[in-house]
Amino acid sequence: MSKVETTYLPRRPRSPLIWIVAGLVVLIVVNLVKNPAFLSVSLLDGHLYGTPIDIFTQGSRAMLLALGMTLVIATGGVDLSVGSVVAIAGAACAILLRDGHGLFVTIGGAMGLGLLAGSVNGMLVARLGIQPIIATLILMVAGRGIAQLIVGGQVVFIANRNFEYLANGFLFGLPVAPLLVAAFYIAVHFFLRRTASGLFIEAVGDNETASRFAGLAAARVKALVYIFCGLCAGLTGVLAAANVRAGDAYRLGENAELDAIFAVVVGGTALTGGRFSILGSFLGAVLIQTLTITMYNLGVPPAVAPVPKAILIIGVSLLQSEKFRRWAGEILRGRGRALA
Amino acid sequence: MTSNSVFTGRHLPLLATAAIFALLFGAASWCYEGFFSARVITNLFSDNAFLGIAAVGMTLVIFSGGIDLSVGAVIGFTSIFTATLVMGHRVSPGVAWMLALIIGTGFGAAMGTLIHAFQLPPFLITLAGMFLARGMGFWLNTESVAINHPVYERLSNFDLALGNNVHFSANALFLLATVAVGYAIAHHTRFGRTLFAVGGNQQSALLMGLPVGAAKITVYAVNGFTAALAGIVATFYTGSGNSSLGLGLELDAIAIVVIGGTLLSGGRGHLLGTLLGILIFGTIQAAILFDGRLSSWWMRIVVGGLILVFILLQRFIVQGAARARRL
């Protein structure tokens, strides 16, 4: 009868979400210590206000980007161009509104540009077989230039009350942007899990050759996730432009791709692809936003705020690494024999 | 049997890059008065010196199949670190540079150790490194710090004159020296060959008995060194230290490496290709300047387009070579 080995760190985390929730709890506690009213939410004029609401409102764009990014990463790829696509879409919104077009045309146009960008990425990766990092790098580099081309190098301001409703308005007492993003998430979740699409994406990411032999059109699946990611980026561009009330080709979507990738990885989806969790990405985005607000509340200068993000990425990567867990487990058991 | 002809698949991307550079430079000289001059050519080396130095280190990392997103942030950190030491603490520049290089190398080695020991994805770890270095730089000082020191004055006035019109600045010489050393390391040392082997197929390299772990950690350390060196050269170029320096520079460096014909997946490429990539990058910048009509953002679009062209070129060459071997 073999001895049952007890490890202090599980061989496979019961659920990667546990770590995120633990992290969120730690952050909330830190904030409560500094400011006991941190979690308070108040109702004014039928609208809900409060820091937790702010977290969701300000984090809504990152959540939307993380949604698209999750599916791309699940197929084993990555999309570095989302930040630039956000800039392109936002710039397009500003120009379309300035030229007097209606809301439908504006939002449709911006999302259409996102779809186009996604199609380009999808074609490069799936049809031409280019490595995702480099394929999306092309659009990332060129995209900023295209965005600047659209606005002619200027910052174009938006003065359209209906458009700003997307960022400042309330629906059923809750702010519009997070509601919109939540609805998107729920719709996508049902689509992925009630149809075979989620299964196809996981299969392609896990082992593309095997999935092809099993009869999947792997190239088509890959192309479609990039198109969807582009769509998410386009919609995020709309929300971002509404938020700052301008089409700023320089600042819109700055570093957005890094935060999105970060949220996805923290949420438990491995960079190598396969199993994914959009709930994890959602919580990952919430975690980043909470981290940002915590840093702000603790008086850390905003320029230094990336440092805790970096520590978090390293921590999460280590926890996700099989080798690290085995090594740490052995250390904790007092054996001291580290890596082979 | 592999042919030793220079036209086989191995050196074809390099030749293609050289051809494109010649084409670009020729076209620009045709279109713009005064483009074809010694000054423009030597400026190609000076203006992008720190980008070029960073690209040399990046090339070595990419040969081994890795990637390093932190170089821009390390450049920014090094520049503000040097400036703070020299101006704020009256440290001699030589000592400041030594410290900066040690920190850069150590930083790279730390990332390399994490990447190799725990098999973490280089993309993520160097991304974290980028955040860390950027944050550390901003923590030192968010403003730019001008450097006034006799050594710096002498360096910015330094001029190696070969003949009447050819003037090489200190920056250009640093770049050329780094490229020369990089070339020697990559193509004439065992370490360089190990990098190519690891990039080509890490499993095979391990089974062959090559010191894969040591090579990977060392190459990230070397890259940290070149990034710190680039930061120091950046202080020569701008005469100041600024933690915002190098924002987005890692992407330009990767673009230069790819344009130079090196495969991003590793195992294949040539360091002189990176030199050509630097020259092409500089030519486009100079051409846009000479034109005057095109706005600066066209630079981004053209660089993006060039990366695409080279990637497609690489794919067809690799596929063609594979098909030729099978026949």
Side-chain angles (χ1 to χ4, degrees):
Chain A
M1 193 69 136
S2 62
K3 194 161 67 106
V4 173
E5 275 193 54
T6 50
T7 50
Y8 284 99
L9 283 179
R11 212 142 281 260
R12 210 162 41 93
R14 255 158 260 104
S15 166
L17 300 181
I18 289 191
W19 300 110
I20 307 182
V21 175
L24 270 174
V25 167
V26 165
L27 283 178
I28 293 179
V29 164
V30 166
N31 275 298
L32 281 176
V33 162
K34 185 110 204 290
N35 170 20
F38 182 69
L39 283 178
S40 69
V41 171
S42 55
L43 196 66
L44 257 123
D45 292 335
H47 299 158
L48 273 175
Y49 289 99
T51 319
I53 307 289
D54 282 342
I55 292 181
F56 284 101
T57 312
Q58 284 164 23
S60 55
R61 294 178 292 282
M63 290 172 198
L64 191 51
L65 282 181
L67 179 62
M69 188 69 81
T70 311
L71 297 186
V72 168
I73 291 184
T75 62
V78 73
D79 190 345
L80 294 177
S81 64
V82 288
S84 300
V85 176
V86 165
I88 292 177
C93 280
I95 294 294
L96 287 171
L97 284 173
R98 185 194 65 182
D99 292 344
H101 293 277
L103 216 54
F104 268 128
V105 172
T106 307
I107 299 181
M111 287 174 71
L113 280 175
L115 273 176
L116 186 63
S119 314
V120 169
N121 282 332
M123 189 195 65
L124 289 176
V125 173
R127 201 60 50 199
L128 293 176
I130 301 177
Q131 249 185 322
I133 289 187
I134 197 74
T136 55
L137 181 70
I138 295 173
L139 192 55
M140 179 184 188
V141 168
R144 281 284 157 193
I146 296 174
Q148 285 161 12
L149 193 64
I150 294 179
V151 286
Q154 321 263 1
V155 175
V156 178
F157 290 99
I158 298 175
N160 186 317
R161 302 296 301 283
N162 292 333
F163 190 69
E164 286 160 32
Y165 177 72
L166 282 172
N168 301 328
F170 286 84
L171 199 65
F172 310 132
L174 295 168
V176 171
L179 274 184
L180 189 63
V181 172
F184 222 70
Y185 260 86
I186 294 174
V188 169
H189 170 78
F190 275 111
F191 179 74
L192 287 174
R193 298 303 178 192
R194 289 300 158 99
T195 67
S197 52
L199 186 65
F200 286 176
I201 294 174
E202 282 178 353
V204 168
D206 226 350
N207 189 330
E208 190 176 327
T209 318
S211 70
R212 215 175 272 131
F213 285 156
L216 284 183
R220 193 180 308 162
V221 170
K222 279 169 53 166
L224 285 174
V225 295
Y226 283 95
I227 294 177
F228 177 69
C229 191
L231 181 71
C232 287
L235 186 55
T236 308
V238 171
L239 292 179
N243 189 45
V244 294
R245 276 177 272 193
D248 184 349
Y250 294 92
R251 307 302 306 280
L252 278 178
E254 211 177 12
N255 287 330
E257 56 276 326
L258 302 177
D259 281 347
I261 294 173
F262 180 26
V264 172
V265 170
V266 164
T269 305
L271 264 188
T272 42
R275 278 267 147 96
F276 65 87
S277 164
I278 58 176
L279 176 61
S281 305
F282 177 80
L283 289 176
V286 171
L287 185 65
I288 302 181
Q289 196 58 41
T290 313
L291 189 63
T292 310
I293 290 199
T294 310
M295 289 296 118
Y296 182 73
N297 284 344
L298 288 179
V300 174
V304 186
V307 174
K309 254 197 242 181
I311 300 177
L312 195 54
I313 296 181
I314 298 180
V316 168
S317 302
L318 286 174
L319 284 171
Q320 283 181 350
S321 151
E322 183 78 48
K323 261 190 135 174
F324 176 76
R325 284 203 300 272
R326 224 179 304 150
W327 177 69
E330 286 188 3
I331 295 277
L332 285 177
R333 253 176 295 156
R335 232 162 263 178
R337 207 197 65 128
L339 300 154
Chain B
M1 192 167 56
T2 49
S3 152
N4 275 327
S5 160
V6 82
F7 289 106
T8 51
R10 246 168 16 109
H11 290 296
L12 210 48
L14 195 63
L15 282 181
T17 310
I20 299 233
F21 170 61
L23 224 83
L24 264 177
F25 201 83
S29 305
W30 179 284
C31 294
Y32 307 120
E33 259 313 312
F35 197 88
F36 191 72
S37 64
R39 153 161 283 176
V40 170
I41 296 179
T42 51
N43 275 349
L44 285 182
F45 292 98
S46 313
D47 291 338
N48 289 307
F50 60 92
L51 173 58
I53 294 175
V56 170
M58 183 74 86
T59 313
L60 294 176
V61 172
I62 292 182
F63 281 163
S64 73
I67 201 164
D68 191 342
L69 296 177
S70 65
V71 286
V74 171
I75 289 178
F77 170 78
T78 307
S79 76
I80 193 69
F81 178 77
T82 315
T84 310
L85 279 186
V86 170
M87 297 308 289
H89 298 274
R90 315 216 149 270
V91 176
S92 97
V95 174
W97 296 337
M98 271 310 120
L99 283 176
L101 289 173
I102 292 175
I103 293 181
T105 314
F107 187 71
M111 287 195 299
T113 311
L114 278 178
I115 290 173
H116 174 70
F118 300 117
Q119 287 168 350
L120 300 176
F123 186 81
L124 267 190
I125 296 302
T126 56
L127 183 68
M130 176 181 99
F131 283 142
L132 217 83
R134 199 55 81 178
M136 287 287 118
F138 279 124
W139 179 65
L140 277 181
N141 200 331
T142 50
E143 310 272 321
S144 147
V145 173
I147 303 181
N148 300 316
H149 195 281
V151 174
Y152 271 82
E153 309 253 343
R154 246 180 291 145
L155 272 168
S156 54
N157 292 334
F158 182 86
D159 189 12
L160 182 68
L162 305 167
N164 274 348
N165 290 325
V166 181
H167 296 271
F168 280 105
S169 69
N171 293 349
L173 292 175
F174 269 108
L175 173 62
L176 288 171
T178 312
V179 170
V181 172
Y183 168 74
I185 292 178
H187 299 284
H188 294 284
T189 64
R190 194 181 300 177
F191 173 64
R193 250 200 296 279
T194 310
L195 289 181
F196 278 109
V198 171
N201 189 328
Q202 186 169 320
Q203 195 70 6
S204 300
L206 196 63
L207 291 173
M208 277 199 286
L210 291 174
V212 169
K216 279 170 78 164
I217 297 178
T218 310
V219 78
Y220 281 99
V222 168
N223 189 40
F225 179 86
T226 50
L229 182 63
I232 295 174
V233 171
T235 58
F236 299 157
Y237 189 68
T238 60
S240 64
N242 191 341
S243 38
S244 307
L245 211 57
L247 268 171
L249 190 135
E250 48 275 332
L251 296 173
D252 287 342
I254 294 175
I256 287 176
V257 173
V258 168
I259 291 176
T262 303
L263 271 192
L264 206 69
S265 47
R268 204 187 263 251
H270 202 285
L271 203 108
L272 292 182
T274 303
L275 177 64
L276 286 170
I278 297 167
L279 293 176
I280 291 179
F281 198 81
T283 307
I284 302 173
Q285 265 182 339
I288 291 182
L289 227 86
F290 262 73
D291 191 290
R293 288 171 299 161
L294 293 175
S295 341
S296 59
W297 56 76
W298 276 104
M299 179 77 192
R300 314 257 55 154
I301 301 180
V302 173
V303 172
L306 264 183
I307 301 177
L308 180 60
V309 166
F310 275 94
I311 288 293
L312 292 177
L313 199 70
Q314 277 175 12
R315 280 204 59 75
F316 288 130
I317 290 176
V318 169
Q319 277 175 356
R323 223 173 289 136
R325 241 180 284 127
R326 251 182 278 134
L327 288 172

